[in-house]
Amino acid sequence: VVNPWDEYAIEEAILSKERHGLTATAVTIGPERSREVLKTCLAMGCDEAILVSDESFMGSDSLGTARIMASIIQKLGDVEMVIFGKQAIDGDTGMVPMALARILGWSPVSYVFEVSDYDQVGGNIKVARLLEEGKQLCSAKLPAVISVVKDINEPRYPSFMGIRKAGKATIPVWNAADLGIDAGHFGADA
């Protein structure tokens, strides 16, 4: 199933696509059965989906996952924004988005509950963050990695037509060799 926190990230990616004419690509790292998660993303409205699956990735920690994600982003090329949910439901650390931003040298922004401005020409994004002390307005240079909280939107349900389209979609599978990375640097042993 889709990580509940990531449902908000998926919705924000789809909204960004609709508002700004962007492309929303869903990516997950996992076994073959993760393809079903990607079909849900496509049914919700994502344009593309990619499954990244390699036995050597199993058991990777947050840093290993961020390194794999960085390789995915580099292979995809022209990416301006990566959107994550606040945290995963297995590790609950919320570290992968910030580690990814650090690896890529991109702007990191966490706890986002509103993207108020996306200036593709000027290369900036303005967001509102939800903190314990209150709300914080900030801006960041693109490209950026953001993690969102549930207050950002209400995730849509997949439409019937979306489900049919997703059922017919071809979802490519990338492995360590496709990403050009050494599989020995990932997984539980790393």
Side-chain angles (χ1 to χ4, degrees):
V1 298
V2 175
N3 170 18
W5 291 106
D6 287 338
E7 289 179 354
Y8 301 97
I10 295 163
E11 179 64 23
E12 194 59 29
I14 296 166
L15 290 171
S16 294
K17 170 186 108 162
E18 293 169 352
R19 291 177 188 143
H20 307 290
L22 305 174
T23 300
T25 302
V27 177
T28 193
I29 302 167
E32 179 63 32
R33 69 179 181 270
S34 301
R35 189 180 299 271
E36 294 306 313
V37 169
L38 293 170
K39 287 183 180 180
T40 300
C41 297
L42 291 170
M44 289 175 70
C46 287
D47 299 302
E48 303 169 339
I50 300 166
L51 173 60
V52 178
S53 186
D54 195 297
E55 192 68 32
S56 66
F57 296 163
M58 302 305 284
S60 290
D61 62 7
S62 298
L63 182 57
T65 301
R67 287 179 174 150
I68 296 165
M69 286 297 302
S71 296
I72 295 165
I73 301 305
Q74 291 165 345
K75 182 173 173 74
L76 283 170
D78 191 27
V79 176
E80 292 184 349
M81 185 168 46
V82 178
I83 307 172
F84 285 89
K86 177 182 151 197
Q87 62 197 52
I89 56 173
D90 53 2
D92 283 338
T93 64
M95 292 173 46
V96 173
M98 300 305 103
L100 174 63
R102 176 74 174 135
I103 291 166
L104 294 173
W106 291 11
S107 302
V109 189
S110 59
Y111 303 110
V112 174
F113 77 91
E114 179 185 14
V115 177
S116 58
D117 187 33
Y118 179 82
D119 181 7
Q120 193 172 14
V121 176
N124 293 301
I125 186 171
K126 291 183 183 175
V127 301
R129 299 177 66 220
L130 187 60
L131 307 174
E132 288 182 20
E133 301 82 20
K135 298 175 182 176
Q136 179 187 48
L137 303 176
C138 59
S139 62
K141 291 278 186 198
L142 293 172
V145 177
I146 67 172
S147 64
V148 300
V149 295
K150 66 181 184 174
D151 300 296
I152 195 163
N153 57 46
E154 188 63 38
R156 66 188 72 190
Y157 291 104
S159 68
F160 178 71
M161 290 304 293
I163 293 169
R164 289 189 60 178
K165 182 180 172 185
K168 297 175 186 175
T170 300
I171 299 173
V173 180
W174 295 351
N175 60 27
D178 295 322
L179 297 174
I181 56 178
D182 181 358
H185 291 38
F186 303 97
D189 292 340

